[in-house]
Amino acid sequence: MVVRRGFVFLSLVAASASVLVSCSSSGPNLPQAPQVTGRAPIKVGGSINAAWETGAPKNTKMILANSQGEIAGRGTTDRFGSLIIQNMTPAKGYRFEYSQAGKELGSKSLRVLSTSYVPPSSLYTSQHLHAGLNYIKMRDGIYLAATVRLPPGKTLADGPFPTVIEYSGYQIAAPGDLITALLDPSQSHVPSALLPDTATAVGSIIAPLMGFASVSLQMRGTGCSGGAFDLFGLSTTYDGYDAVQAVADQPWVAHHKVGLVGISFSGISQLFVAGTRPPGLAAIAPMSATNDLYATGYPGGIFNNGFAASWIAQRFADSEPAPQYGQQYAQYLTTHGDKQCIADQLLRLQTQSNESAIAEGKYRVPSLYQQRSPEHWASKIDVPVFISGAFQDEQTGGQWSDMLGAMKNDPTVWATITNGTHADSLGPAILSRWVEFLQIFVARKVPYEPSIAKVFGPALYTRLVGAPAENFPAVNFSNDKTVAQAQNQFEKDNSRITLLFDNGGGSLGPGAMQPAWQAGFSQWPPKRSQVTYEYLGPNGSLSPSKPKAGSVSFYPNPNARPKTNLVSGSAWVALPNYDWAPVTGNSGVGFISAPLKHDLTVVGPAALDVWVKSSAVDTDLQATVSEVRPNGQEMFMNTGDLRASLRYLDKAKSTPTMPVPTYEKRTRSPMPKGKYVELQIPITPFAYSFRAGSRIRVTIEAPGGDRPAWTFLTYQTNGTVKDSVSFGDITPSALVMSVVPNLTPSDPQPACPSLRGQPCRTYVPAGNGG
């Protein structure tokens, strides 16, 4: 829970670590490799589209020869004598070669793998895991660190246990007992360096307290795992497949099926692994994930140099070799003689540099990002899924819900979405249903009250998150006689999409982890929602009717407001120290509706379809939706961004409320001089009932100032760029939202501030009157 680095995940840009190092070549007319005259004393292996070696002399020029004796790749070993050559054609018969003392030495033959390669079952059946730290062999010969954690007081002899895996690049396989360290620190005698990161508490605390065995799996290239770090590269994804199969084969695993659990980094990894369809996988339960690494790293095509940049820098720091660098437990174990952990550091210098990864990620290159897209892998999942998250997630972003459509063909997918922060997917209202799901679909048991219910009380939430919370709800279906009955009732009682409204506005007081009401839907966005247009007009008006033709100009300036809306402290506490600065002067424009005559419930993604002319060849814009109340208070709903030159849409995927820009370099188009062009700015989904008497507002300005942790590498205009917005019949600029008719809140209008993830401010009209 409360963590060293946030609860976090990720962003993105390292996603571009597709080409780790070295050069490679393939194709016709390859030159012939020299004749081998001796065996090279090195260790080699074939990964997916790559070959690796360790043990050669440092700074040695090497070639990779194919089965025809042609030079297929080249590279130079690092100071550890290691090398990875990427982008190789899958085939048998490759070998590394290098010259030494007048001889041409060649390695044993290796096979470069494809994604369709199926390892022999012996890879899994031959591995025997014990309680504590293990090393699991992957299909390419790389070993991953994995710590088996059992329910308190149990041994493997007490099995079989329902079992889950949490897969992360954080310090997860550190073998220390986090349960004792956090809940009874006086009895913890393990060095702090050996404790897992509290961001991995789902597997290291919650699952064991539920009576599950939990395997904390360390991502390749981090901690004591071997290989080079490559964020959600293909080898990383298929490592998850191999780990699932190896763990499921253990005699202490109930039903020889495992689940995947975790929040943030280890929430996202589940979507990749499940997309490979390992036979030993029973179900997954990701929390606070993202739908797309580019969407988190480059929202609207603009680099997120706040959370995303700092997150990826931390990931690269974690991937550096121990004992001098890297994660604390790896430093500890390598200095205390763990031979496998020491050996697993040898390929670390083959990780791509941070700067190189960021430079490659500027545009959404399909070949780079598709294999690293959670949404792409989610479409392949064929096991039950319980996914949860928040619309205002300050780390991974609330756009994660956009991928629910990719899972529409899987009948056993349940999503719970709330307003709130990155931590709110662990709120009691969600966690209780999450427990039921795992008990039914992984443990294959009738739900029962776990000991976690006693631990996760309001006091612990106050301690860990900084906010009050409701009591852990009672577990449902415990009176059913069979698992089949419980599963049938679970499927009947839980809508495919459950929305928790007004989280923070309940009886426990402002900012408590307590939703006030909920609604269920059969699909996302809701099928019964109606696309509603509110047209921008003169004097900052917002109306369902198109106005007369007109325009308004402003001078976007990212320095006109603070970069974030959080002054200090955490965004998870009940009432964060927000300073959500107003849009004033001529740096932005606002448009506001007349007071609503009736409650209006908006659910789903939104968009600002706006006609813009700019004095610059490119401009970055941010659109933010809010509610202005009769008492003059304004509450944040959500926001979105767009670099105008990246406005081209994927028309096959786009809808009026969910425009999907391609963000590709080939479709980049500068702003035409003196002409208006249509920009469709995606606005992150939200769910809220605007109450009668309140007004809907949308503002347009330079990116920044409306989020707690995301900042932007945007154009520094210094107020010299003039943007103009046109409206009327010919250029009908409009706020486009999904309205669900006849959906009425059961609670009174929540206080402002009170709702989690939704700051408030005093309404100040923008310079144009809106």
Side-chain angles (χ1 to χ4, degrees):
M1 318 181 321
V2 166
V3 303
R4 203 173 58 231
R5 303 183 177 99
F7 223 89
V8 301
F9 152 75
L10 103 125
S11 72
L12 75 109
V13 241
S16 39
S18 170
V19 182
L20 295 182
V21 301
S22 316
C23 66
S24 63
S25 62
S26 60
N29 303 317
L30 295 176
Q32 283 291 316
Q35 185 69 35
V36 172
T37 57
R39 173 59 65 88
I42 60 176
K43 186 175 182 180
V44 300
S47 303
I48 296 175
N49 302 329
W52 61 266
E53 70 78 27
T54 60
K58 67 179 181 180
N59 302 323
T60 298
K61 293 182 179 180
M62 303 194 77
I63 62 172
L64 184 67
N66 61 23
S67 60
Q68 286 76 45
E70 300 166 324
I71 298 176
R74 301 175 186 267
T76 301
T77 62
D78 55 37
R79 61 183 171 87
F80 289 167
S82 303
L83 180 66
I84 297 177
I85 296 182
Q86 293 280 356
N87 299 332
M88 303 309 302
T89 301
K92 297 179 180 179
Y94 286 99
R95 68 175 183 272
F96 280 95
E97 296 182 16
Y98 63 95
S99 299
Q100 188 178 46
K103 293 184 177 181
E104 189 67 21
L105 303 182
S107 72
K108 68 176 184 180
S109 177
L110 63 92
R111 177 178 182 174
V112 172
L113 307 178
S114 69
T115 56
S116 61
Y117 172 74
V118 179
S121 60
S122 59
L123 174 65
Y124 311 123
T125 59
S126 64
Q127 303 196 57
H128 307 288
L129 307 183
H130 53 80
L133 180 61
N134 301 262
Y135 292 94
I136 303 177
K137 187 177 181 180
M138 300 291 105
R139 64 186 64 194
D140 61 351
I142 297 296
Y143 285 84
L144 300 194
T147 291
V148 175
R149 307 182 194 277
L150 300 179
K154 300 295 184 180
T155 69
L156 290 181
D158 296 312
F161 300 97
T163 302
V164 294
I165 297 173
E166 184 175 17
Y167 183 28
S168 177
Y170 295 149
Q171 177 158 309
I172 189 170
D177 178 9
L178 192 58
I179 295 177
T180 302
L182 285 185
L183 302 183
D184 192 8
S186 65
Q187 298 301 311
S188 179
H189 307 296
V190 175
S192 60
L194 293 182
L195 293 176
D197 193 318
T198 49
T200 67
V202 174
S204 56
I205 295 180
I206 298 177
L209 290 177
M210 287 173 57
F212 283 60
S214 178
V215 179
S216 298
L217 182 66
Q218 189 76 54
M219 201 167 279
R220 74 165 52 205
T222 66
C224 280
S225 287
F229 180 65
D230 180 13
L231 182 63
F232 297 124
L234 289 173
S235 288
T236 302
T237 295
Y238 281 87
D239 284 347
Y241 179 106
D242 290 345
V244 166
Q245 293 305 102
V247 173
D249 193 69
Q250 302 304 306
W252 45 265
V253 173
H255 316 295
H256 293 291
K257 292 272 189 176
V258 301
L260 295 174
V261 297
I263 185 170
S264 197
F265 202 167
S266 52
I268 298 160
S269 65
Q270 297 175 50
L271 299 164
F272 289 86
V273 176
T276 68
R277 299 183 175 181
L281 184 63
I284 67 171
M287 299 168 161
S288 299
T290 187
N291 64 316
D292 186 77
L293 301 186
Y294 188 89
T296 302
Y298 286 84
I302 309 164
F303 179 47
N304 177 355
N305 65 353
F307 171 77
S310 63
W311 188 89
I312 202 61
Q314 291 166 349
R315 302 289 69 74
F316 277 103
D318 275 358
S319 71
E320 294 189 44
Q324 293 88 352
Y325 308 102
Q327 294 178 345
Q328 291 182 2
Y329 88 99
Q331 294 178 20
Y332 184 97
L333 292 179
T334 52
T335 56
H336 284 75
D338 187 316
K339 293 181 180 180
Q340 187 62 54
C341 188
I342 293 171
D344 284 346
Q345 308 303 306
L346 291 177
L347 285 168
R348 293 301 176 80
L349 298 180
Q350 295 298 296
T351 298
Q352 187 186 29
S353 72
N354 190 2
E355 292 78 13
S356 177
I358 291 173
E360 288 185 23
K362 184 176 181 180
Y363 300 102
R364 198 180 194 287
V365 181
S367 62
L368 185 66
Y369 281 99
Q370 187 74 350
Q371 70 182 44
R372 295 175 170 82
S373 168
E375 186 168 344
H376 167 73
W377 290 97
S379 67
K380 304 174 184 292
I381 296 173
D382 62 354
V383 297
V385 178
F386 185 94
I387 186 169
S388 56
F391 288 121
Q392 292 81 19
D393 189 313
E394 78 286 356
Q395 295 182 12
T396 54
Q399 79 290 334
W400 69 269
S401 59
D402 292 345
M403 74 175 160
L404 294 177
M407 295 185 278
K408 62 183 178 182
N409 294 324
D410 186 342
T412 53
V413 174
W414 294 275
T416 302
I417 319 175
T418 183
N419 65 284
T421 69
H422 196 61
D424 280 273
S425 58
L426 276 173
I430 295 176
L431 198 60
S432 60
R433 304 290 81 82
W434 178 88
V435 166
E436 294 165 3
F437 174 84
L438 291 176
Q439 289 173 340
I440 292 172
F441 291 97
V442 177
R444 302 303 300 165
K445 293 182 177 181
V446 173
Y448 55 91
E449 197 77 22
S451 58
I452 184 180
K454 300 175 182 177
V455 175
F456 268 75
L460 188 60
Y461 277 104
T462 300
R463 173 186 165 194
L464 297 180
V465 180
E470 61 183 327
N471 290 318
F472 196 89
V475 170
N476 295 314
F477 322 119
S478 58
N479 293 326
D480 290 319
K481 295 183 178 180
T482 66
V483 176
Q485 289 177 341
Q487 179 176 332
N488 183 59
Q489 202 60 43
F490 180 94
E491 295 177 359
K492 285 183 178 180
D493 288 5
N494 287 278
S495 299
R496 188 173 176 86
I497 309 294
T498 298
L499 299 183
L500 305 180
F501 286 83
D502 295 348
N503 180 27
S507 59
L508 293 177
M513 298 181 82
Q514 180 191 29
W517 61 292
Q518 68 179 53
F521 302 92
S522 61
Q523 68 180 50
W524 183 261
K527 187 175 182 179
R528 59 192 178 104
S529 63
Q530 299 176 351
V531 177
T532 302
Y533 293 81
E534 294 287 336
Y535 293 96
L536 282 56
N539 303 315
S541 62
L542 193 64
S543 168
S545 301
K546 293 180 182 178
K548 293 181 179 180
S551 65
V552 62
S553 299
F554 63 104
Y555 297 82
N557 184 357
N559 298 318
R561 296 195 303 152
K563 293 184 181 297
T564 68
N565 61 16
L566 185 66
V567 176
S568 61
S570 170
W572 302 350
V573 301
L575 293 175
N577 188 17
Y578 287 124
D579 181 14
W580 185 33
V583 178
T584 58
N586 63 2
S587 64
V589 288
F591 299 87
I592 189 168
S593 72
L596 298 173
K597 295 181 179 179
H598 307 283
D599 292 349
L600 185 75
T601 302
V602 176
V603 173
L608 184 65
D609 191 340
V610 61
W611 289 81
V612 175
K613 177 176 67 175
S614 181
S615 65
V617 296
D618 204 359
T619 186
D620 291 344
L621 295 177
Q622 175 174 281
T624 301
V625 180
S626 58
E627 177 193 52
V628 177
R629 302 182 171 193
N631 65 0
Q633 289 297 102
E634 182 179 10
M635 178 179 281
F636 174 84
M637 296 295 121
N638 231 325
T639 187
D641 308 274
L642 182 66
R643 175 156 287 174
S645 62
L646 299 177
R647 62 189 177 274
Y648 185 84
L649 300 182
D650 183 332
K651 293 180 173 57
K653 296 181 180 179
S654 297
T655 68
T657 57
M658 193 168 69
V660 182
T662 64
Y663 299 121
E664 294 183 35
K665 187 175 183 179
R666 66 181 180 84
T667 57
R668 184 181 182 276
S669 178
M671 292 289 284
K673 188 176 181 179
K675 293 183 179 180
Y676 283 100
V677 296
E678 184 180 17
L679 305 181
Q680 293 170 271
I681 304 176
I683 296 174
T684 306
F686 63 95
Y688 182 76
S689 186
F690 293 87
R691 302 321 201 264
S694 290
R695 296 182 286 171
I696 300 172
R697 188 188 191 211
V698 62
T699 56
I700 312 171
E701 61 276 330
D706 288 351
R707 303 177 191 256
W710 287 16
T711 60
F712 298 87
L713 188 63
T714 184
Y715 298 120
Q716 293 301 308
T717 64
N718 298 314
T720 61
V721 170
K722 180 181 179 180
D723 287 349
S724 300
V725 173
S726 178
F727 42 79
D729 281 333
I730 299 176
T731 54
S733 297
L735 173 62
V736 191
M737 300 181 294
S738 298
V739 174
V740 179
N742 304 316
L743 184 59
T744 304
S746 59
D747 63 325
Q749 188 174 51
C752 189
S754 68
L755 299 190
R756 294 184 57 77
Q758 297 183 242
C760 285
R761 65 187 177 194
T762 300
Y763 167 59
V764 177
N768 67 321

